[in-house]
Amino acid sequence: MDGGQRRADAAAMWRALIARRGGGSRVLPEPADEGAAMLKALFAPLTDPPSAADGLLIFAHLAQSLDGRIATASGASRWISGEADLAHTHRLRALAHAVLVGAGTVRADDPRLTVRLVPGPNPARIVVDPERRLETGRTVFHDGEAPTWLICAEDRAEAPPPGRAELIPVRRGPDGIDLLALLRTLRARGITHLFIEGGGATVGRFLAAGLIDRLHVAVAPLLIGSGVPALRLPEIATPEDGLRFEVALHRLGEDVLFDCAISRRRPIWR
Ligand SMILES: NC(=O)c1ccc[n+]([C@@H]2O[C@H](COP(=O)([O-])OP(=O)(O)OC[C@H]3O[C@@H](n4cnc5c(N)ncnc54)[C@H](OP(=O)(O)O)[C@@H]3O)[C@@H](O)[C@H]2O)c1
């Protein structure tokens, strides 16, 4: 098979995955080469119907250095992983109905959260900023490229939303925004496939609550030293209490992608 045929095969697989995301045919083509086979292996599980009782399939991605950092101490994270992982992240956005980030990510990166590096639709953008501490001028609130939902605590909903964003108040739980209440709100808005794009604190909250179906971690051959940790989880007593899961490894340029089938498990802390 020549280069042109390989590209066409991968493009056909990607179109079929996007159709699946939109509720079209669930049947995917038989991959004729490695590239299409990798797309199928990585993304078909993310376009399956949700099996959890809350009606959502939730996947997350982080790009970390070999020493477990997703940004330097000053918050700079561009770029830890390479171009292939960046395109991979855009594919994850395209397959989700909504992409969610914590306030720290919007503060540090001012991201657009749109799909630009691959063909595919933009997801709705969700920013979790319980106390409304973010500056109102952030790009995601104004560019109008896709709906933006600003999640805040119910007692912080008085001020009008910034730009074109819609304000969605959600009740507080014992430790920040109540994630189950948030998921119920998203499900009521028709979201069934949710992508948590970071940062580590936000992915950690979902993981600690047992709310991640699939976690993609791209590990880059880079040492950062001090910086923002990839995942923040409660302490456990012994490695036995940690989280184990099935994992598949894929090469993305210089980086190694861990595709972790978390299946809503969580570590045991006491
Ligand atoms: N390499 C990567 O893959 C990657 C991806 C994304 C981001 N980043 C980097 O990671 C850094 C930001 O990550 P981070 O872990 O520090 O922060 P983060 O996860 O982006 O945001 C954390 C903040 O979001 C709010 N939040 C989110 N969920 C909440 C909940 N359920 N309840 C209450 N508050 C909630 C809180 O805001 P308040 O404390 O203001 O209330 C919390 O402090 C940036 O430097 C960014 O560049 C890297």
Side-chain angles (χ1 to χ4, degrees):
M1 186 184 266
D2 65 24
Q5 276 171 318
R6 269 200 295 276
R7 276 193 297 278
D9 193 36
M13 183 64 75
W14 181 244
R15 278 195 303 277
L17 285 160
I18 290 287
R20 227 174 176 240
R21 172 249 197 233
S25 165
R26 306 216 58 76
V27 181
L28 292 171
E30 231 7 85
D33 80 321
E34 268 179 30
M38 183 168 149
L39 287 178
K40 188 172 183 177
L42 275 171
F43 299 120
L46 307 184
T47 55
D48 280 340
S51 56
D54 54 27
L56 280 103
L57 196 152
I58 306 177
F59 46 96
H61 170 272
L62 288 171
Q64 68 168 56
S65 61
L66 196 54
D67 53 345
R69 304 291 173 180
I70 57 165
T72 64
S74 67
S77 65
R78 288 174 174 158
W79 299 105
I80 287 180
S81 55
E83 276 176 25
D85 183 54
L86 205 53
H88 177 77
T89 308
H90 282 229
R91 288 193 193 280
L92 293 172
R93 288 178 185 169
L95 291 178
H97 299 138
V99 54
L100 180 149
V101 291
T105 296
V106 175
R107 191 173 294 119
D109 299 347
D110 195 20
R112 284 193 271 167
L113 303 173
T114 52
V115 178
R116 303 182 301 279
L117 301 179
V118 298
N122 286 330
R125 301 166 300 180
I126 303 172
V127 177
V128 185
D129 181 19
E131 311 302 332
R132 311 274 311 268
R133 281 195 268 255
L134 277 176
E135 298 143 43
T136 55
R138 306 276 92 184
T139 302
V140 76
F141 299 140
H142 295 274
D143 65 6
E145 300 234 16
T148 298
W149 301 339
L150 174 58
I151 307 298
C152 70
E154 284 172 328
D155 53 2
R156 289 284 186 277
E158 267 175 31
R164 303 177 186 207
E166 183 183 350
L167 199 58
I168 304 184
V170 174
R171 76 163 187 239
R172 292 180 191 271
D175 175 31
I177 291 291
D178 181 333
L179 292 183
L180 294 181
L182 170 59
L183 295 184
R184 276 195 297 276
T185 303
L186 298 184
R187 185 67 198 90
R189 288 173 167 249
I191 304 296
T192 58
H193 290 70
L194 176 65
F195 172 34
I196 316 292
E197 190 169 316
T202 300
V203 175
R205 280 176 186 271
F206 278 84
L207 206 46
L211 292 172
I212 299 278
D213 292 289
R214 205 98 186 174
L215 174 65
H216 287 184
V217 181
V219 180
L222 167 73
L223 296 172
I224 286 185
S226 305
V228 181
L231 284 172
R232 270 159 265 174
L233 290 168
E235 273 180 29
I236 54 167
T238 68
E240 219 174 55
D241 297 336
L243 201 54
R244 290 197 192 274
F245 39 79
E246 279 179 33
V247 66
L249 302 189
H250 299 272
R251 197 78 209 215
L252 284 180
E254 291 281 291
D255 308 322
V256 177
L257 185 79
F258 286 67
D259 175 10
C260 312
I262 304 285
S263 308
R264 302 268 176 147
R265 280 192 292 275
R266 58 182 187 172
I268 303 164
W269 60 88
R270 303 185 170 100

